[in-house]
Amino acid sequence: EYYLGLVIDRASQRVTVIASDSGGMDIEEVSRTDPDRVVRETVDPAVGLLDFQCRKIASRIGLSGKQIHMAVKVLKGLYRCFRDNDATLAEINPLAMVGDRLVALDAKMSFDDNALYRRPAITELRDFDEEDPKEVDAGGHNLSYIALDGTVGCIVNGAGLAMATMDAIVLHGGRPANFLDVGGGASPEKIANAFRIVLADDNVKAILVNIFAGINRCDWVATGLVQAMEEQEIQIPVVARLAGTNVEEGNRILDESGLTLIRAENLDDAAARVIAAEQGTVQ
């Protein structure tokens, strides 16, 4: 059994073939424990994957004779499949010698979400029953949501700020329940939908709203926050930190709403307050 995969190497900005004679195993684990058993070959996009590269890969993972010719066909076919379908990952694990044939016993592919609009045949294969309903719901509202295993719900704009927010929560002793990026131009309805999706997770014990508005506007976010808290009757603590465009108007909307929420001045303060609120010791 062998491992064979194609990935996009961000460092070289090229497709890279990864192969190993340790098929059926997690390639990351093999790379960590026995890196000499992992073969890497970078593909020049101007000429594609060449026969000599395929032969070199096949030889280095222990194939010989006619097996090498079969491996060349498999490798080149997998590369064409990867290239022509805008894939970000294509792997055969394991690729096995069954009698006198090379057979793909299991395979996996991932695709570039930004290219799916031109791959209708791929999008038609999507099985929503195999996905987290909250993530499917979020995608329908142009929200980037990934469920995690913590208890602090996060509603943030910008992927970088969302990652920093989760780091700050962990730093203060908490665990984020999700990654959620509302993106640019977040309307009040979008913010309200973000609250609804986060609250669908029964593990969420407190919510942190962290907005640094550029394209977004703090008044939009504040309006959505008030709308969500009034319509959804939120019973858990909500910490809000607003900064950037129209922050004064956003803060005014929150102040005049009459709602019970906790205000924070910066990211560190917001993370500390949401953990304290979750534990019942509001700062």
Side-chain angles (χ1 to χ4, degrees):
E1 294 186 354
Y2 308 93
Y3 174 91
L4 179 61
L6 282 82
V7 297
I8 296 176
D9 178 13
R10 303 296 176 182
S12 64
Q13 301 181 13
R14 294 184 176 188
V15 175
T16 298
V17 180
I18 299 177
S20 174
D21 61 0
S22 299
M25 298 177 61
D26 182 359
I27 193 64
E28 288 82 4
E29 180 66 16
V30 175
S31 181
R32 184 182 66 82
T33 59
D34 198 356
D36 291 339
R37 299 183 72 175
V38 179
V39 178
R40 292 177 174 82
E41 186 74 18
T42 301
V43 181
D44 186 334
V47 295
L49 183 62
L50 299 175
D51 286 7
F52 86 88
Q53 293 178 294
C54 297
R55 290 192 294 269
K56 181 169 69 172
I57 294 167
S59 177
R60 289 191 59 190
I61 63 173
L63 297 175
S64 60
K66 292 182 179 180
Q67 296 173 344
I68 291 180
H69 297 295
M70 289 186 283
V72 171
K73 290 183 65 176
V74 172
L75 275 159
K76 297 198 76 171
L78 186 62
Y79 174 73
R80 286 193 300 271
C81 183
F82 182 96
R83 178 198 63 198
D84 295 346
N85 290 286
D86 295 304
T88 56
L89 166 73
E91 70 173 16
I92 301 173
N93 187 25
L95 175 69
M97 282 302 305
V98 179
D100 59 353
R101 295 185 304 148
L102 267 179
V103 180
L105 298 185
D106 195 8
K108 174 182 177 181
M109 292 189 72
S110 299
F111 303 93
D112 184 349
D113 291 342
N114 294 313
L116 286 178
Y117 73 93
R118 60 187 182 192
R119 304 292 173 206
I122 292 173
T123 56
E124 289 173 3
L125 298 173
R126 186 175 182 184
D127 184 355
F128 292 101
D129 292 336
E130 296 296 324
E131 300 182 38
D132 186 320
K134 298 187 293 299
E135 295 182 11
V136 174
D137 189 5
H141 297 284
N142 293 319
L143 297 167
S144 297
Y145 174 93
I146 299 173
L148 302 173
D149 59 0
T151 56
V152 179
C154 303
I155 298 175
V156 192
N157 69 310
L161 184 58
M163 296 296 290
T165 300
M166 293 192 296
D167 285 346
I169 289 170
V170 173
L171 181 66
H172 283 275
R175 298 291 300 175
N178 64 273
F179 168 100
L180 193 152
D181 173 13
V182 298
S187 65
E189 291 74 21
K190 199 172 184 181
I191 297 297
N193 279 318
F195 267 92
R196 179 177 55 78
I197 291 166
V198 168
L199 288 168
D201 184 350
D202 293 335
N203 293 323
V204 172
K205 306 303 180 187
I207 295 177
L208 172 55
V209 181
N210 185 23
I211 302 294
F212 191 94
I215 299 174
N216 278 321
R217 288 170 35 179
C218 288
D219 54 330
W220 290 346
V221 174
T223 300
L225 196 160
V226 172
Q227 178 182 324
M229 294 191 70
E230 289 178 342
E231 294 179 355
Q232 301 176 39
E233 299 181 353
I234 297 172
Q235 302 297 319
I236 60 176
V238 176
V239 176
R241 178 257 182 163
L242 304 179
T245 306
N246 286 8
V247 65
E248 294 84 2
E249 178 65 12
N251 286 331
R252 184 191 66 77
I253 292 171
L254 295 182
D255 290 339
E256 295 179 0
S257 69
L259 297 171
T260 301
L261 55 85
I262 303 165
R263 298 275 294 281
E265 296 300 321
N266 53 53
L267 172 56
D268 188 69
D269 182 41
R273 287 178 182 273
V274 78
I275 300 305
E278 180 190 17
Q279 297 172 350
T281 56
V282 179
Q283 295 183 352

